[in-house]
Every structure is written in C-alpha cells, then in structure tokens.
Amino acid sequence: MVAKETGLNGLSAEHVIVREQYERRTPFFHNIDVADVSGGQRNTSVWSSGRSSLPDSKVHRLRDAVVYDTGAVVTAEGRVVPETLLRNVVPGGSREPHKRIEGTLALLRKPGDMNFGHWLVELLPRIRDFRQAAPEAHLRFGVPTHPISMSDLRLDTLALYGIGREDVVWLSNDAVVVDDLMFMTSNSIHSHTHDAAGVRDLVSRARAAAGPLSGERRLYVRRPDHLKRRLLNEDEIASRLADEGFEIVHPEQMAFREQVRTFAEARYIVGVSGAALTNLIWARSPVDVLSLSPNAPGEFFFWDLANITGARFSTVFGRAYDAPPTVHSNFRLEVSWLDRWLSLTR
C-alpha cells in the first residue's frame, strides 16, 4: 500500500547535513553508441550532468518510535514516515513490537541493506552524521541481522569507526519499539549520487586499517555463478585477461581487510557490474576500472563511485539474453571490445 500518512512535516530535524557536490566525468571508454542499449539516452544524459546534486540530509530523533521491515519508521502516534520507505510503499508485516530497545539507537537500515555495496557506501557513512548530530550521546547502532553471512563483515566495518559488539543491536524485520530513535533521510540517490565526503572518510579508515600497501595488481573480479547478471562467455574473457597479466579474484571468499588490501594494490580492475565491484573504492589513483554489463540502461552505481574516488571509469555493454534486456540479464561480451579497452589503457 502507498503511504498517505503525514511524514516529517512538523518534526524538527536534530541536524541538517549539507552535501558536497563533486565533479562527474563521462566514462573514459564505452560502446553505448553501437551496443543497442535500450533507453541509452538516459545513460548519456546522466553521464554528461557535470556535477552531482544531492539534497541535504536531515537527522531526526523520535521517542517511542517503532521500526520494522528494512527500517520503516512509525511514530508513537502511529504515523508512517514516508522518507524511510522504498518508493513510498508501506511494507507488510506486523507493526506490533516484540521488544523494546532502551537508550539511544542510531538506525543503520534501509531497503537494500542486505547488499554488500549499499551497506558500505550508503549506510556506514551515516555513522559520522549521527555522531555530529548527537556528539554527547552514547549511541548504539541498529544493524541488519540478515544475511547471516554478512555478520562478520558488518562487525569488521563497524570497527573502523570504533564500534564494538556491545554497541551493536541486531535487527531482524520484526517490529521493535525504541526509547530514543535517531534516523536520517536519504544520503544517496539510487543509483547515481552518493555522500562523497562520507565515502572518502570510509576509504581513509579502511586503507589505514589494511596496513602497508604495495604493487600494481591487475584484477578480474569473478562473479559467482549462482547470481543474476552472469557473463555467459566468462571463461573466454577471463582467459584473454589472464594473457594480459590479470589475476582472478573472488572477493566474497575474502575477509574484509583482505578485500581492502587487494583492491588498494590494484592498477587495473575489471568485473561484471555487481556488489563485489564496490571494492573499487579502495583503489589508489591512478586506477582504471572497466565494468561489464548487459545492454540495458540505468546502472550508474560504479561510475558514480569512481567519480568520488578518482578512478578512471570505462564500461562495455554486451548482448543480453532476455527480451527486453534488464540490468539483471545474463549476457555475452565480444572480446574485441575488451581488446579495444586494453589497447587504450596500456
């Protein structure tokens, strides 16, 4: 159902964050003009936008609010806060809280929070905003329970901010009532604009924790076979890249610090558009990044992160095996396009 309840009107913001604008560059290399990308005009329009424009974010504080699903907030008076919903749709499930959380809880939840990339660049940067809004408060942080496989990653990344297990409150999608809830309006526009200062702060913390860095590695990020958006001729592409000195990496099999160290030592990164490619943010300039995608419009996530971190970004579209193609389609890539990119970056 679509939320019609009054949102934040009349609720005072605890803190307003004015977001930094940053320069956005068109991809260094792409084949959108010949790849038959459906709706490709939107891609070129966003790519040529010049500078980012992200609305100010606001940190709000509510007494006795209910949190359920992936961070939907309901006031003590029973009003749903639309700014905490995805596309203004109220999720199903009971709003009857099964427990109370005492003290002040800063909410690190949003739709999509099960995704590695969204956790890194959209939720972790909120920590510094919450602390700026309530510098004297003892904050605990509401963190997604699922997927369980990401629990260690969440703890490792929270540790970058000095947050230990004792200050983590694991939240499932069941409703809970919170004595003193802090939440914030969005710090990103999916999928093409992010909190640049927050991302750079995260990168600085992670690199410092990773220890000494060296080398100019060439990485091919292999995508797990069970996921959508599979590169159908991946063995052929991986073999061609191996001829150029690329090593195959599987980030999902690495501990967090190993991921940071591996990508921080990279000079070239190639991979299918997917969560693991978020690791490009750890790379030090100069670095060339090539994202491989089906010929469907609307994927700007990694291009935007490259703009923030200073990477030189390229993208090559392959032929999707769905009709109409979507960003999740399986696809096949012509090796000739890979060769053209390689020739330009040598």
Side-chain angles (χ1 to χ4, degrees), residues 113-144:
D113 58 18
M114 295 177 63
N115 179 279
F116 170 77
H118 296 308
W119 168 255
L120 283 182
V121 302
E122 294 170 6
L123 285 166
L124 288 174
R126 298 185 182 197
I127 295 171
R128 64 202 294 268
D129 296 328
F130 285 130
R131 286 174 166 170
Q132 290 174 9
E136 304 302 323
H138 176 189
L139 299 180
R140 292 193 297 163
F141 294 86
V143 174

Side-chain angles (χ1 to χ4, degrees), residues 3 5-8 11 60-86 89-91 95 105-111 126 130 171 175-178 180-185:
E5 294 95 329
T6 302
L8 295 179
L11 296 179
H60 293 270
R61 203 161 177 173
L62 295 175
R63 299 289 302 181
D64 298 322
V66 172
V67 178
Y68 77 114
D69 199 70
T70 56
V73 174
V74 183
T75 70
E77 296 76 28
R79 293 180 291 147
V80 176
V81 179
E83 289 83 352
T84 62
L85 307 179
L86 176 63
V89 176
V90 177
R95 298 187 202 172
L105 185 77
L107 187 62
L108 296 180
R109 296 222 59 184
K110 68 180 291 292
R126 298 185 182 197
F130 285 130
L171 298 177
V176 295
V177 62
V178 182
D180 181 16
L181 176 70
M182 295 184 70
F183 69 96
M184 65 181 297
T185 57

Side-chain angles (χ1 to χ4, degrees), residues 157-212:
T157 52
L158 290 167
L160 298 174
Y161 297 84
I163 300 169
R165 288 176 179 266
E166 66 280 4
D167 288 325
V168 174
V169 178
W170 297 101
L171 298 177
S172 67
N173 288 3
D174 295 330
V176 295
V177 62
V178 182
D179 280 355
D180 181 16
L181 176 70
M182 295 184 70
F183 69 96
M184 65 181 297
T185 57
S186 180
N187 60 343
S188 64
I189 300 175
H190 189 75
S191 63
H192 57 69
T193 312
H194 291 86
D195 169 15
V199 171
R200 293 190 192 113
D201 176 66
L202 167 64
V203 170
S204 177
R205 292 171 184 270
R207 283 185 191 156

Side-chain angles (χ1 to χ4, degrees), residues 36-316:
D36 192 27
V37 176
S38 172
Q41 287 184 344
R42 179 168 182 257
N43 286 63
T44 54
S45 174
V46 174
W47 285 344
S48 60
S49 55
R51 294 188 66 80
S52 69
S53 180
L54 187 62
D56 297 345
S57 300
K58 298 177 182 179
V59 177
H60 293 270
R61 203 161 177 173
L62 295 175
R63 299 289 302 181
D64 298 322
V66 172
V67 178
Y68 77 114
D69 199 70
T70 56
V73 174
V74 183
T75 70
E77 296 76 28
R79 293 180 291 147
V80 176
V81 179
E83 289 83 352
T84 62
L85 307 179
L86 176 63
R87 300 186 185 94
N88 210 32
V89 176
V90 177
S94 173
R95 298 187 202 172
E96 289 299 320
H98 73 286
K99 70 175 181 179
R100 173 177 284 272
I101 296 173
E102 299 179 348
T104 304
L105 185 77
L107 187 62
L108 296 180
R109 296 222 59 184
K110 68 180 291 292
D113 58 18
M114 295 177 63
N115 179 279
F116 170 77
H118 296 308
W119 168 255
L120 283 182
V121 302
E122 294 170 6
L123 285 166
L124 288 174
R126 298 185 182 197
I127 295 171
R128 64 202 294 268
D129 296 328
F130 285 130
R131 286 174 166 170
Q132 290 174 9
E136 304 302 323
H138 176 189
L139 299 180
R140 292 193 297 163
F141 294 86
V143 174
T145 299
H146 300 294
I148 298 298
S149 59
M150 280 182 62
S151 297
D152 288 343
L153 168 80
R154 297 197 200 274
L155 290 172
D156 288 344
T157 52
L158 290 167
L160 298 174
Y161 297 84
I163 300 169
R165 288 176 179 266
E166 66 280 4
D167 288 325
V168 174
V169 178
W170 297 101
L171 298 177
S172 67
N173 288 3
D174 295 330
V176 295
V177 62
V178 182
D179 280 355
D180 181 16
L181 176 70
M182 295 184 70
F183 69 96
M184 65 181 297
T185 57
S186 180
N187 60 343
S188 64
I189 300 175
H190 189 75
S191 63
H192 57 69
T193 312
H194 291 86
D195 169 15
V199 171
R200 293 190 192 113
D201 176 66
L202 167 64
V203 170
S204 177
R205 292 171 184 270
R207 283 185 191 156
L213 302 170
S214 62
E216 289 196 346
R217 299 167 69 174
R218 298 175 172 222
L219 308 179
Y220 175 63
V221 184
R222 187 112 193 189
R223 186 165 170 81
D225 289 339
H226 67 278
L227 297 179
K228 295 177 286 188
R229 202 183 309 118
R230 288 190 298 115
L231 178 57
L232 298 176
N233 61 329
E234 184 167 35
D235 288 343
E236 179 184 21
I237 296 299
S239 176
R240 179 70 188 90
L241 288 168
D243 292 341
E244 295 291 329
F246 281 74
E247 57 183 296
I248 296 175
V249 294
H250 301 267
E252 74 282 358
Q253 299 175 11
M254 301 177 180
F256 173 66
R257 288 195 182 186
E258 184 183 0
Q259 292 183 58
V260 175
R261 189 176 300 109
T262 297
F263 284 82
E265 293 179 340
R267 175 62 183 84
Y268 298 93
I269 301 170
V270 179
V272 173
S273 174
L277 203 57
T278 309
N279 282 299
L280 72 87
I281 64 176
W282 316 127
R284 300 166 295 169
S285 294
V287 60
D288 274 281
V289 176
L290 176 63
S291 172
L292 312 177
S293 302
N295 56 334
E299 178 51 74
F300 307 103
F301 190 83
F302 306 105
W303 165 76
D304 185 61
L305 295 181
N307 284 321
I308 290 173
T309 59
R312 187 165 67 170
F313 182 85
S314 298
T315 186
V316 170

